[in-house]
Amino acid sequence: MTVRTRVTDLLEIEHPILMGGMAWAGTPTLAAAVSEAGGLGIIGSGAMKPDDLRKAISELRQKTDKPFGVNIILVSPWADDLVKVCIEEKVPVVTFGAGNPTKYIRELKENGTKVIPVVASDSLARMVERAGADAVIAEGMESGGHIGEVTTFVLVNKVSRSVNIPVIAAGGIADGRGMAAAFALGAEAVQMGTRFVASVESDVHPVYKEKIVKASIRDTVVTGAKLGHPARVLRTPFARKIQEMEFENPMQAEEMLVGSLRRAVVEGDLERGSFMVGQSAGLIDEIKPVKQIIEDILKEFKETVEKLRGYIEE
């Protein structure tokens, strides 16, 4: 089955499905699996130094010759150098998160890279479009990790009416029905993080995957809101402790958060780890190979669209 949109044409991919750019979890192995399955795999460089990223790109290219991307978090102290690596390595696609990437867009595009910022508002979407972005990822607050303040349902609807470039929907999407809903709101592709973390090819600790599969739609909380960088994580004793410390001792809360994502992803540490997942964890009840995940989503997308057609009477 083929779903062709401006995004598939732009990125030269088979299916309009992107992998979220997740620090620590967005490894070359997982990204290559997504690209091989016809989507766009994305290396999460959030915890990487420039040399680490260069090695990750090389490793991914040994696993696939399909298009791929790199996600750069703008709060990274190495953001400038990570962009340079992407230019030197001729990375096909760069996505940006946690800020305004307009200063990087022209140079990347001049070197042949497609640029797709993550946006949490229609105003930022218009700003990056004027700066030359090829598309935007409208990511709602249902998503895992660092979040904005608007839901996917409202954000995608508004952003798709506000820009002329393609819109990719993210946040709370883990199946074909979610993809169909996103398309109804104006999206031309979807990005998923949590769904791909709970895959066979994902390198995260088994405890991480198990927590996702067992989670309900109410099992996430937001930490870091009082510290100025809210993030959605699984509800654990550690997450509750962070929420308490944000009010009682913000500096200590900041110290506790340092390294907490790595401890969750790599070590499966329930006592000191931040398990960043979206509310879509409550929609996931099985760990599957990436190829099967994408095939199942496309099958359900088609069934959903056909069902909707049945409601229309001429």
Side-chain angles (χ1 to χ4, degrees):
M1 174 186 171
T2 300
V3 180
R4 183 175 180 179
T5 70
R6 287 189 294 168
V7 173
T8 57
D9 290 346
L10 172 71
L11 304 182
E12 300 179 7
I13 56 178
E14 185 178 356
H15 307 304
I17 297 174
L18 285 69
M19 167 188 155
M22 303 167 287
W24 292 109
T27 64
T29 299
L30 180 56
V34 174
S35 290
E36 276 292 298
L40 186 77
I42 297 179
I43 295 171
S45 73
M48 295 181 181
K49 295 180 180 180
D51 286 345
D52 298 325
L53 176 57
R54 202 181 298 276
K55 291 176 183 176
I57 292 169
S58 175
E59 182 180 340
L60 182 146
R61 282 181 163 146
Q62 292 172 22
K63 298 175 183 293
T64 183
D65 60 359
K66 301 288 183 65
F68 69 95
V70 168
N71 174 259
I72 296 175
I73 300 298
L74 290 162
V75 295
S76 167
W78 304 289
D80 289 352
D81 293 326
L82 294 173
V83 170
K84 290 179 182 177
V85 170
C86 289
I87 291 172
E88 292 167 0
E89 295 293 331
K90 300 187 184 304
V91 171
V93 182
V94 168
T95 66
F96 284 100
N100 182 348
T102 52
K103 71 176 184 177
Y104 299 116
I105 293 176
R106 175 180 292 183
E107 185 177 11
L108 282 164
K109 285 175 63 67
E110 287 176 348
N111 284 274
T113 296
K114 303 293 191 305
V115 181
I116 308 179
V118 176
V119 300
S121 69
D122 54 312
S123 58
L124 181 55
R126 289 191 295 269
M127 188 180 301
V128 298
E129 180 182 40
R130 289 194 298 270
D134 294 285
V136 291
I137 300 166
E139 184 177 73
M141 65 181 298
E142 298 95 320
S143 65
H146 298 291
I147 59 172
E149 298 179 343
V150 183
T151 64
T152 302
F153 203 87
V154 173
L155 182 65
V156 174
N157 197 341
K158 181 64 175 178
V159 170
S160 65
R161 297 168 187 264
S162 303
V163 297
N164 295 312
I165 55 178
V167 175
I168 299 157
I173 301 168
D175 56 26
R177 291 201 290 181
M179 179 174 167
F183 274 51
L185 295 170
E188 296 183 51
V190 296
Q191 176 178 280
M192 302 183 300
T194 305
R195 175 62 273 193
F196 286 129
V197 171
S199 69
V200 172
E201 294 88 344
S202 170
D203 295 314
V204 306
H205 195 280
V207 168
Y208 207 135
K209 298 183 187 183
E210 181 183 359
K211 294 291 286 183
I212 291 174
V213 170
K214 291 183 177 180
S216 76
I217 59 174
R218 292 172 56 86
D219 280 343
T220 65
V221 296
V222 177
T223 60
K226 295 296 180 183
L227 305 176
H229 43 81
R232 186 173 300 283
V233 302
L234 279 173
R235 188 192 308 274
T236 63
F238 179 77
R240 287 195 293 270
K241 184 65 175 177
I242 292 295
Q243 287 181 312
E244 294 171 4
M245 295 306 297
E246 287 180 50
F247 291 92
E248 299 172 6
N249 191 333
M251 290 185 64
Q252 185 175 348
E254 290 276 15
E255 292 172 0
M256 291 170 64
L257 285 170
V258 173
S260 62
L261 178 58
R262 180 192 178 282
R263 289 193 291 270
V265 173
V266 178
E267 302 170 17
D269 189 341
L270 293 171
E271 300 298 323
R272 301 182 303 137
S274 288
F275 292 79
M276 291 186 174
V277 302
Q279 291 179 326
S280 63
L283 302 173
I284 300 167
D285 55 14
E286 185 179 356
I287 296 169
K288 303 177 184 179
V290 164
K291 189 176 188 332
Q292 184 181 348
I293 289 172
I294 290 178
E295 289 175 351
D296 290 349
I297 287 172
L298 292 170
K299 180 175 182 290
E300 188 177 48
F301 172 82
K302 180 182 179 182
E303 293 170 349
T304 303
V305 171
E306 290 175 348
K307 180 179 179 181
L308 292 174
R309 286 198 189 105
Y311 293 138
I312 300 173
E313 294 183 359
E314 299 295 341

